[in-house]
Amino acid sequence: MPSTKRLSIAITVALAITGAVFVAASPTWATTQQQADHGDWVKASRATLRLAPNHLVLANARKKDRVRVQAQCRGWVRVQVLSGHEMVTRIGWLQRGHLLKASKPGGLRGVLTNCGQTSKDVRRWRTYVAAMNAPLHSYYTGRGAYNVHETAALWHKVKFPTGVSLASGPSCTPSYNYARHQAGERVDSAQPVSNVDLTDIAYRYVSRTGAVALVSIKRPGQHARVWAFVQSSCLTPKTGGKYTTVYFPNLVQLDRVPKDSKALRTRDLKHYGCHAGLRSPSQPQFGWWPEPEKGRQPGCPY
């Protein structure tokens, strides 16, 4: 039978050890939980949410938005936006430097690498985009060569949006995001884009229904442009009579683009896997349906 003094000492030592373990375990448990859900925050004033790294723009995350990081790919991270403001989609890719923790060394420890080339991403492309200004690997007729059946016609790679005019009024104010409602797709008037030059707007593409268009807008005195959303009914072609539609009238897509992106003659298009542009089924005046699935692209018309 141990003495009372020895038993008291044993209990005291046991409590001390138990307490030390508990105190040391608490921060470790919290860190493990924090790493498990990979929570983070947007630190940039605006962070473009994309379908895949450096790919189609789907929405904009805002400063202080809470996100959950799902994957990483070089300088990009795939996130789910947890904040409550309106967004047509809350899942997409952001630049790593736009997040608070992810931008720091070791900030993506434990996050799996996945560069977004999945069938799910392809389906999202078809879901969100109906017509594009510049489908990937696309060519349009060059300046001064509008008769595309002439072998001398030159085709130039599309690298830029089409200039458009924006109607005035509150319903045509650009917004950082839009959402789908029972009555249709509408831009969110609670997230207006400010400090931009509304006379310098360029069209990129429309949503699947054609109701909302993505545009780039110039910041006064800055080279950088801002991605924003407007109701597509607010956009018209630039005046001057060159185009009757928002988009270029003649376009083809190529499977392979020359490395130097040189201008091509019509007779050379077939050498690069030429496909026809497919008019948007919902908004033909806004351009072409970008067909991402191999084997579904229409044949080359030239």
Side-chain angles (χ1 to χ4, degrees), residues 41-97:
W41 293 266
V42 176
K43 69 175 183 178
S45 60
R46 150 194 75 77
T48 303
L49 197 69
R50 296 175 181 264
L51 173 79
N54 200 27
H55 210 270
L56 303 180
V57 175
L58 302 178
N60 285 291
R62 307 296 304 277
K63 188 173 185 177
K64 297 183 180 181
D65 277 355
R66 171 78 174 171
V67 303
R68 179 177 293 120
V69 179
Q70 299 177 333
Q72 61 174 306
C73 178
R74 295 181 292 276
W76 295 82
V77 289
R78 192 174 196 262
V79 302
Q80 177 186 12
V81 181
L82 304 178
S83 300
H85 57 73
E86 286 195 335
M87 299 175 70
V88 71
T89 179
R90 298 183 177 278
I91 297 177
W93 291 82
L94 300 176
Q95 291 184 48
R96 175 179 179 176

Side-chain angles (χ1 to χ4, degrees), residues 6-7 50 66 76 81 85-86 88 96 105 129 131 155 165 187 205 228 232-234 236 245 269 274-275:
R6 289 176 59 189
L7 183 62
R50 296 175 181 264
R66 171 78 174 171
W76 295 82
V81 181
H85 57 73
E86 286 195 335
V88 71
R96 175 179 179 176
V129 181
W155 292 76
S165 297
V187 300
Y205 44 83
S232 58
S233 58
C234 296
T236 56
T245 61
L269 295 176
C274 171
H275 301 281

